[in-house]
């Protein structure tokens, strides 16, 4: 092998591809609303995943699952690192990584990332991104950024709607450009969420809790569960609430959850005396933070279970509206739960990301406080460290427009600087 030949991409690793197929099968089977009316054969995705898993087990001399039900039991009971797949990259999955949550029986967030975000060609696995794209298109066509902001806040603050809520939302004039999307993304709530004639919302994340026993409820948000048992929020009695609607799962998972972190950061940064604009430039990034001296940060909030997928998705933050520094932020619990989270992100981050740093919420807020206090060192900055920084177009403070770099002005990243930079983030 010559120096120019590249190490095969782990995303094309045959065992990773196999697990992505199993994850897709898990989601397809989880989408079956009425098992009492289900008839064989299983969905083709499930049968293909089972066939591939059986062949791989036989190749490795391991006992394969006897059928689709046993494959689903594996997905719930066995951490991915214990599956008999000898070609999986070392340490790709953590000790607790499963495709199905062992307590609730619901697909895990990692399962959704492997399938929904899993670099496949199925538009059904890109549902949340299609919805956001259509909202942007509709609001741009009406030249109404206010409507887009109202739509995003709706997805963040009202994942569950009673009949009375639905009437209120249906008469909100700001939502007129996206009315067709609102009617599509809110679906009737399955009876499985109901216990003793009532539904219960999580006080922290506002989504419906899943009843998992006669007395216990389970929250589908990883971050919420990490903070302990779900605190009980709104109790919705079916006879009083009428027809209940909730956002479809991909929207709850990839828009509502991170969006609540975005609005929480908005509140905390404004409390420091900063000016914060949400989803500026039709969602060019999540928060545009302006300091009293006019210095601008662009911040994108991410909440992915697996840091490798997050690193693979990293791209430079869009240049408009203009800013001076940019970064991504991730909930601190992800890093506490997996200490190598930032290192793995940095390792998988592509060159096109320009050294984009990943910080926790607390690290971002600490940098903001330091900068407000007059500190101008690296701890008060969110930009890539100088040894790894690839300069973005600079902003003219008088006009607010970006300016090209002078000819020959550039930075040369040093070997390994990207990983070191994220480790210090």
């Amino acid at each position: 092998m010559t120096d120019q030949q590249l190490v095969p991409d782990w995303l094309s690793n045959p065992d990773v591809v196999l697990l992505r197929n199993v994850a897709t099968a898990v989601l397809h089977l989880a989408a079956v609303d009425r098992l009492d009316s289900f008839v064989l054969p299983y969905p083709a995705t499930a049968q293909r995943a089972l066939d591939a898993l059986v062949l791989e087990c036989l190749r490795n001399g391991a006992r394969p699952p006897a059928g689709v039900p046993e494959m689903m039991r594996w997905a719930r009971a066995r951490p991915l690192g214990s599956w008999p797949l000898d070609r999986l990259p070392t340490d790709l999955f953590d000790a607790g990584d499963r495709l199905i949550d062992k307590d609730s029986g619901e697909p895990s967030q990692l399962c959704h990332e492997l399938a929904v975000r899993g670099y496949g060609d199925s538009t059904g696995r890109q549902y949340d991104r299609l919805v956001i794209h259509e909202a942007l298109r509709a609001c741009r066509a009406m030249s109404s950024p206010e409507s887009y902001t109202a739509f995003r806040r709706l997805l963040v603050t009202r994942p569950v709607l009673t009949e009375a809520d639905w009437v209120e939302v249906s008469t909100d004039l700001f939502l007129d450009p996206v009315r067709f999307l609102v009617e599509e993304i809110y679906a009737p709530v399955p009876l499985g969420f109901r216990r003793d004639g009532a539904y219960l919302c999580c006080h922290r994340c506002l989504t419906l809790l899943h009843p998992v026993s006669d007395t216990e409820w389970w929250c589908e948000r990883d971050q919420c569960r990490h903070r302990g048992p779900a605190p009980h929020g709104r109790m919705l009695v079916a006879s009083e609430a009428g027809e209940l609607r909730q956002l479809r799962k991909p929207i709850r998972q990839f828009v509502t959850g991170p969006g609540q972190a975005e609005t929480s950061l908005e509140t905390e940064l404004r409390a420091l005396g900063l000016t914060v604009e949400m989803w500026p430039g039709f969602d060019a990034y999540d928060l545009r933070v302006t300091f009293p001296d006019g210095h601008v940060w662009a911040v994108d909030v991410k909440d992915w279970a697996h840091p490798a997928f997050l690193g693979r998705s990293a791209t430079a933050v869009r240049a408009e509206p203009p800013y001076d520094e940019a970064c991504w932020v991730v909930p601190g619990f992800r890093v506490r739960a997996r200490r190598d989270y930032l290192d793995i992100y940095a390792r998988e981050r592509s060159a096109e990301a320009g050294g984009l740093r990943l910080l926790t919420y607390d690290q971002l807020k600490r940098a903001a406080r330091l900068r407000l206090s007059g500190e101008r060192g690296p701890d008060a900055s969110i930009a890539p460290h100088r040894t790894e920084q690839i300069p973005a177009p600079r902003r003219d403070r008088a006009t607010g427009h970006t300016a090209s770099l002078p000819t020959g002005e550039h930075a040369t990243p040093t070997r390994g600087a990207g990983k070191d930079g994220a480790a210090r983030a």
Side-chain angles (χ1 to χ4, degrees):
M1 177 180 290
T2 67
D3 291 341
Q4 275 64 42
Q5 288 179 291
L6 299 177
V7 175
D9 189 334
W10 61 267
L11 278 173
S12 61
N13 176 288
D15 285 347
V16 174
V17 173
L18 189 157
L19 287 178
R20 286 169 52 196
N21 290 336
V22 175
T24 303
V26 167
L27 293 185
H28 283 180
L29 290 168
V32 177
D33 290 330
R34 295 194 57 194
L35 291 178
D36 57 346
S37 63
F38 178 77
V39 294
L40 294 175
Y42 290 107
T45 52
Q47 193 60 55
R48 284 197 298 268
L50 174 65
D51 293 345
L53 180 57
V54 168
L55 286 174
E56 186 64 12
C57 288
L58 294 175
R59 188 184 72 82
N60 293 333
R63 187 184 70 81
V68 170
E70 187 173 355
M71 180 177 72
M72 296 292 281
R73 285 193 289 273
W74 279 29
R76 182 172 183 172
R78 299 185 63 165
L80 293 178
S82 73
W83 289 39
L85 306 174
D86 62 359
R87 291 176 292 186
L88 276 181
T90 305
D91 298 329
L92 178 61
F93 296 109
D94 209 21
D97 286 342
R98 290 176 170 85
L99 295 180
I100 297 177
D101 181 85
K102 60 184 177 63
D103 296 320
S104 69
E106 292 288 324
S108 66
Q109 182 168 334
L110 175 60
C111 183
H112 281 270
E113 289 174 10
L114 279 166
V116 178
R117 299 281 190 180
Y119 301 88
D121 56 3
S122 169
T123 57
R125 301 202 312 230
Q126 316 294 331
Y127 180 80
D128 60 300
R129 279 179 279 185
L130 288 171
V131 167
I132 295 301
H133 174 79
E134 283 301 302
L136 286 167
R137 182 193 60 76
C139 292
R140 283 195 182 109
M142 299 294 289
S143 300
S144 180
E146 300 86 357
S147 291
Y148 180 76
T149 300
F151 178 71
R152 286 298 299 268
R153 285 199 185 275
L154 174 70
L155 304 189
V156 170
T157 61
R158 308 185 79 171
V160 180
L161 297 177
T162 64
E163 277 192 14
D165 295 333
W166 182 253
V167 171
E168 181 185 343
V169 168
S170 299
T171 56
D172 186 336
L173 296 180
F174 278 116
L175 295 174
D176 276 352
V178 290
R179 185 77 54 207
F180 69 104
L181 281 174
V182 173
E183 293 174 354
E184 151 62 23
I185 62 179
Y186 281 95
V189 174
L191 291 177
F193 283 88
R194 188 164 77 185
R195 187 171 70 195
D196 298 330
Y199 304 86
L200 183 62
C201 296
C202 177
H203 181 68
R204 277 195 290 254
C205 66
L206 309 179
T207 59
L208 287 174
L209 296 174
H210 298 250
V212 292
S213 71
D214 290 340
T215 58
E216 295 180 329
W217 300 80
W218 177 84
C219 181
E220 65 188 12
R221 293 285 300 143
D222 285 2
Q223 182 170 3
C224 200
R225 294 197 307 278
H226 183 80
R227 295 170 63 183
H232 295 184
R234 280 201 304 171
M235 177 71 74
L236 301 171
V237 178
S239 60
E240 299 171 0
E243 184 181 14
L244 212 60
R245 293 176 172 87
Q246 68 174 345
L247 290 170
R248 298 185 187 276
K249 181 65 175 281
I251 302 295
R252 301 197 307 270
Q253 194 78 57
F254 296 112
V255 181
T256 303
Q260 289 170 348
E262 293 158 13
T263 55
S264 176
L265 273 178
E266 173 192 19
T267 300
E268 295 184 55
L269 293 173
R270 282 181 173 167
L272 295 176
L274 299 170
T275 301
V276 182
E277 180 184 358
M278 298 299 293
W279 309 296
F282 290 102
D283 207 10
Y285 40 88
D286 294 328
L287 296 90
R288 189 170 192 264
V289 183
T290 305
F291 287 80
D293 63 356
H295 192 81
V296 176
W297 284 359
V299 178
D300 253 339
V301 177
K302 306 295 178 183
D303 184 8
W304 288 34
H306 204 290
F309 292 134
L310 181 60
R312 274 288 164 156
S313 73
T315 56
V317 176
R318 282 162 53 184
E320 293 290 339
Y323 55 83
D324 297 288
E325 300 179 56
C327 73
W328 280 6
V329 295
V330 66
F333 88 93
R334 294 290 184 195
V335 177
R336 290 191 295 273
R338 182 163 187 160
R339 293 295 180 179
D340 58 354
Y341 194 102
L342 297 178
D343 286 336
I344 293 175
Y345 163 83
R347 186 179 68 211
E348 297 297 334
R349 180 185 56 199
S350 68
E352 288 74 16
L356 180 72
R357 289 176 68 193
L358 180 67
L359 282 70
T360 65
Y361 298 167
D362 287 343
Q363 289 168 340
L364 177 78
K365 289 180 286 188
R366 178 176 180 272
R369 286 192 293 268
L370 286 172
R371 195 176 197 289
L372 282 169
S373 69
E375 170 67 41
R376 294 296 182 266
D379 290 339
S381 170
I382 64 171
H385 294 291
R386 292 187 181 278
T387 54
E388 64 175 355
Q389 186 168 4
I390 299 174
R394 295 185 301 190
R395 188 166 58 91
D396 187 301
R397 295 203 180 278
T399 65
H401 298 304
T402 54
S404 300
L405 289 169
T407 303
E409 183 174 339
H410 62 280
T412 304
T414 59
R415 185 184 301 272
K419 180 173 181 179
D420 294 340
R424 291 192 299 269

